[in-house]
């Protein structure tokens, strides 16, 4: 992909964002200092992918794909702003690296991170995607979003990251159901051997799980005797963020330690 062409496309989008009624090819060409012929070709290519639309004869405006992306970016920025103080507090409470993972289209990516003071920790790159079947955050967000669950279960191949990755579709379907029942997700060596991942939901005003609070650490630091307390604190953090986003109270999970202990006992007996 030609970087100069990408730069011109972004310049066009920025320009059209300031002219809601649309502008002609000539206006775009003159104001942006672009050749008329290449401006026309670029606009036509952007129309083809929905980034720009025809608003009249030889007049162009932002298309639905650009508007949808802009709204997603605004929502993500708002979510990070709301979540940050709660993630920072959780990081101090548990002294483990804390992440915010969000849905981005058909993927789950890390959007924010707070690092603890542990000498040995798992540092995950922001912006990196996570599998829907082999990670705590991927499984959690897929479990609460039917289209993502169907995508994972219908995939032609589920990659085996470790010997513990769930690649059997019946087992994965049961795992998604269990996650919805207990309101949290655990990955025990499913992405990286020896690493435990925990995830709890963040819910928006529509009742949709749009993100996850995530902690991962070596198995010894998230042993079964400590895990319920950490999960309880994570659930409480997710609820605090969700309430600020306007989530309905009846959609929020139970955050009591006794409930988590009971869920962990059932999970242990079933394994």
């Amino acid at each position: 992909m030609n970087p100069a062409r990408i730069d011109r496309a972004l310049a066009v989008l920025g320009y059209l964002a300031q002219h809601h009624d649309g502008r002609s090819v000539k206006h775009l060409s003159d104001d942006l200092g672009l050749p008329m012929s290449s401006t026309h070709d670029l606009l036509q290519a952007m129309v083809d992918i929905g980034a720009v639309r025809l608003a009249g004869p030889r007049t162009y405006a932002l298309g639905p794909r650009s508007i949808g992306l802009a709204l997603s970016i605004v929502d993500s920025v708002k979510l990070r702003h709301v979540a940050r103080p709660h993630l920072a507090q959780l990081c101090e409470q548990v002294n483990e690296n804390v992440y915010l993972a969000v849905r981005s289209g058909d993927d789950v990516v890390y959007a924010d991170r707070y690092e603890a003071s542990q000498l040995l920790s798992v540092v995950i790159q922001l912006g990196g995607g996570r599998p829907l079947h082999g990670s705590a955050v991927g499984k959690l967000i897929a479990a609460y979003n039917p289209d993502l669950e169907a995508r994972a279960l219908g995939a032609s191949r589920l990659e085996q990251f470790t010997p513990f990755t769930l690649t059997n579709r019946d087992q994965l379907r049961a795992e998604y159901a269990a996650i919805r029942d207990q309101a949290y997700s655990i990955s025990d060596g499913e992405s990286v051997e020896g690493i435990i991942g925990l995830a709890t939901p963040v819910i928006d005003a529509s009742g949709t799980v749009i993100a996850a609070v995530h902690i991962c650490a070596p198995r010894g630091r998230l042993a079964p005797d400590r895990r319920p307390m950490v999960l309880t604190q994570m659930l409480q953090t997710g609820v605090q963020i969700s309430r600020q986003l306007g989530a309905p109270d009846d959609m929020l999970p139970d955050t009591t330690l006794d409930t988590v202990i009971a869920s962990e006992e059932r999970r242990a007996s079933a394994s």
Side-chain angles (χ1 to χ4, degrees):
M1 181 68 71
N2 186 334
R5 187 172 174 83
I6 295 174
D7 185 63
R8 288 194 294 270
L10 290 174
V12 167
L13 292 176
Y15 181 85
L16 291 177
Q18 299 174 27
H19 298 87
H20 299 168
D21 294 332
R23 301 294 276 175
S24 68
V25 178
K26 186 175 188 315
H27 277 118
L28 280 157
S29 176
D30 291 346
D31 292 350
L32 296 177
L34 302 174
M36 179 77 78
S37 58
S38 61
T39 301
H40 181 270
D41 293 344
L42 177 61
L43 286 166
Q44 190 54 56
M46 295 174 76
V47 167
D48 290 343
I49 62 171
V52 167
R53 64 179 175 85
L54 277 169
R58 297 180 64 83
T59 302
Y60 297 84
L62 286 179
R65 194 167 179 183
S66 295
I67 294 170
L69 177 60
L71 291 172
S72 295
I73 291 170
V74 169
D75 287 345
S76 177
V77 170
K78 177 186 175 183
L79 172 59
R80 289 181 65 194
H81 176 75
V82 168
R84 279 186 164 178
H86 302 290
L87 298 176
Q89 182 180 33
L90 177 63
C91 183
E92 289 184 12
Q93 289 174 338
V94 301
N95 195 27
E96 299 289 354
N97 288 1
V98 175
Y99 294 85
L100 179 71
V102 301
R103 177 175 181 174
S104 178
D106 288 337
D107 296 313
V108 176
V109 300
Y110 289 110
D112 215 344
R113 174 181 65 220
Y114 279 86
E115 294 188 31
S117 58
Q118 298 282 2
L119 293 176
L120 178 63
S121 62
V122 181
V123 179
I124 304 171
Q125 182 180 359
L126 297 186
R130 303 306 299 148
L132 301 178
H133 70 290
S135 67
V137 292
K139 290 191 299 181
L140 181 117
I141 293 180
Y144 283 100
N145 287 272
D147 60 322
L148 291 185
E149 179 176 357
R151 180 171 177 262
L153 293 172
S156 59
R157 176 177 174 271
L158 294 172
E159 186 173 351
Q160 183 94 45
F161 301 104
T162 76
F164 309 105
T165 308
L166 290 177
T167 57
N168 178 287
R169 283 165 175 74
D170 289 337
Q171 292 177 347
L172 183 59
R173 186 178 291 106
E175 175 79 349
Y176 288 145
I179 289 168
R180 288 190 292 270
D181 181 59
Q182 66 201 19
Y184 60 81
S185 171
I186 296 178
S187 168
D188 189 349
E190 295 165 40
S191 291
V192 180
E193 288 193 63
I195 299 299
I196 297 280
L198 309 176
T200 57
V202 174
I203 303 165
D204 70 6
S206 71
T208 302
V209 173
I210 58 168
V213 176
H214 176 60
I215 286 177
C216 59
R219 182 178 285 114
R221 291 215 305 269
L222 290 175
D225 59 340
R226 185 189 182 214
R227 207 176 297 160
M229 179 61 74
V230 174
L231 281 165
T232 300
Q233 291 170 307
M234 292 174 66
L235 283 162
Q236 291 169 351
T237 297
V239 165
Q240 290 166 351
I241 297 169
S242 300
R243 283 202 169 114
Q244 280 194 248
L245 296 174
D249 283 343
D250 61 353
M251 298 296 292
L252 299 176
D254 189 337
T255 61
T256 61
L257 178 60
D258 287 346
T259 299
V260 176
I261 289 174
S263 294
E264 282 299 279
E265 289 174 347
R266 287 194 300 271
R267 204 173 67 86
S269 64
S271 61

